[in-house]
Amino acid sequence: MIQVERLQLHHVRDFLQWGVHEDPLLKIYNFEEKESTLEDWYRWKTGGKMDVYFAILLDGLAIGYMGLKDIKKIARRGTLGIILDKNHMNQGLGTEAITWLMNYAFYKMHLNRVDLEVLPWNQLGIHIYKKLGFQTVGRHRVRAVVPLVIDGVVLEEERPRFVEVIQMRLSKDRWSERIEI
Ligand SMILES: CC(C)(COP(=O)(O)OP(=O)(O)OC[C@H]1O[C@@H](n2cnc3c(N)ncnc32)[C@H](O)[C@@H]1OP(=O)(O)O)[C@@H](O)C(=O)NCCC(=O)NCCS
């Protein structure tokens, strides 16, 4: 069972022990900082006034972080982001963490809607978001550092390029209506 705390610099030190994605399409989720850059990364991540970030803890170790970004208080919206240590993926922890965060977003922050963007090849991510009630609302072109992969073959190394991400959305009403995940 996970614990959740507001993200602090000491949590970020644990990220240095995380597993590394070798799959070129998932490298974008690697934590690539070094001891010397941790503080800068932490200040950059947590410096925004419209963002709130949390550490996901397992047995006292930070095995992930998640947040609500671009929070719009008047419109009551925010955007979900989450990354787990590769070594702790697919063990039910992401479902637990996002469930906590949606309860926080809808019942503590009183948001009415949470949005997210997910890369089209992130099948695990898409599955879990749909399972939790998110619905696809569109597609959107963003710039991301990814390789060019066709039929599983890397044709070009990663560099900034345009990719089409899937936009998903969960309303408070839909979250409140769900029976059991
Ligand atoms: C996305 C992420 C937060 C999900 O958390 P998680 O703990 O790995 O997910 P869970 O173990 O709770 O759930 C995994 C589900 O996906 C399913 N799954 C696993 N691999 C899958 C695949 N290749 N395709 C589809 N579904 C898959 C599992 O069967 C499970 O489904 P179930 O709960 O219906 O049985 C986590 O994997 C992660 O951090 N990934 C890397 C970063 C990332 O993708 N962040 C999100 C960016 S939008």
Side-chain angles (χ1 to χ4, degrees):
M1 192 169 148
I2 58 157
Q3 281 87 47
V4 177
E5 289 177 5
R6 276 297 273 265
L7 185 64
Q8 295 163 52
L9 181 57
H10 71 87
H11 296 131
V12 183
R13 293 223 161 77
D14 295 343
F15 300 178
L16 294 173
Q17 312 304 324
W18 286 4
V20 177
H21 292 278
E22 298 299 345
D23 180 340
L25 287 171
L26 299 181
K27 278 186 178 173
I28 195 169
Y29 301 124
N30 283 336
F31 186 73
E32 297 202 314
E33 302 305 313
K34 314 184 282 282
E35 182 71 49
S36 59
T37 61
L38 286 185
E39 195 162 339
D40 286 347
W41 183 90
Y42 172 75
R43 304 229 171 281
W44 164 70
K45 208 66 184 170
T46 58
K49 287 196 172 62
M50 301 305 164
D51 305 337
V52 55
Y53 278 94
F54 298 94
I56 303 164
L57 306 173
L58 190 67
D59 299 328
L61 269 187
I63 53 92
Y65 67 92
M66 61 184 171
L68 293 163
K69 306 174 282 185
D70 304 323
I71 296 164
K72 297 188 171 46
K73 286 189 176 157
I74 308 274
R76 296 206 190 166
R77 291 176 194 159
T79 302
L80 165 70
I82 179 166
I83 301 222
L84 296 189
D85 172 2
K86 176 182 179 283
N87 296 333
H88 285 94
M89 283 170 58
N90 213 1
Q91 298 165 14
L93 304 175
T95 302
E96 223 185 295
I98 298 171
T99 301
W100 185 95
L101 191 61
M102 293 306 96
N103 284 331
Y104 183 87
F106 294 129
Y107 303 126
K108 201 116 184 151
M109 295 191 73
H110 302 291
L111 301 186
N112 281 332
R113 180 177 120 187
V114 173
D115 296 299
L116 65 82
E117 289 181 350
V118 59
L119 289 163
W121 55 80
N122 188 347
Q123 292 304 321
L124 193 161
I126 293 166
H127 173 87
I128 184 179
Y129 296 139
K130 283 189 178 160
K131 183 181 78 172
L132 289 167
F134 282 84
Q135 293 174 301
T136 302
V137 290
R139 288 182 175 254
H140 172 60
R141 265 160 70 86
V142 298
R143 235 165 132 73
V145 181
V146 288
L148 178 65
V149 180
I150 295 180
D151 292 337
V153 180
V154 181
L155 297 183
E156 284 176 30
E157 289 305 308
E158 50 271 26
R159 66 169 172 79
R161 59 180 87 239
F162 282 104
V163 281
E164 208 171 63
V165 291
I166 300 172
Q167 297 171 295
M168 303 185 85
R169 182 170 295 166
L170 177 64
S171 68
K172 181 177 185 173
D173 288 347
R174 198 169 153 82
W175 182 253
S176 307
E177 279 165 11
R178 99 212 146 98
I179 303 163
E180 219 4 272
I181 54 164

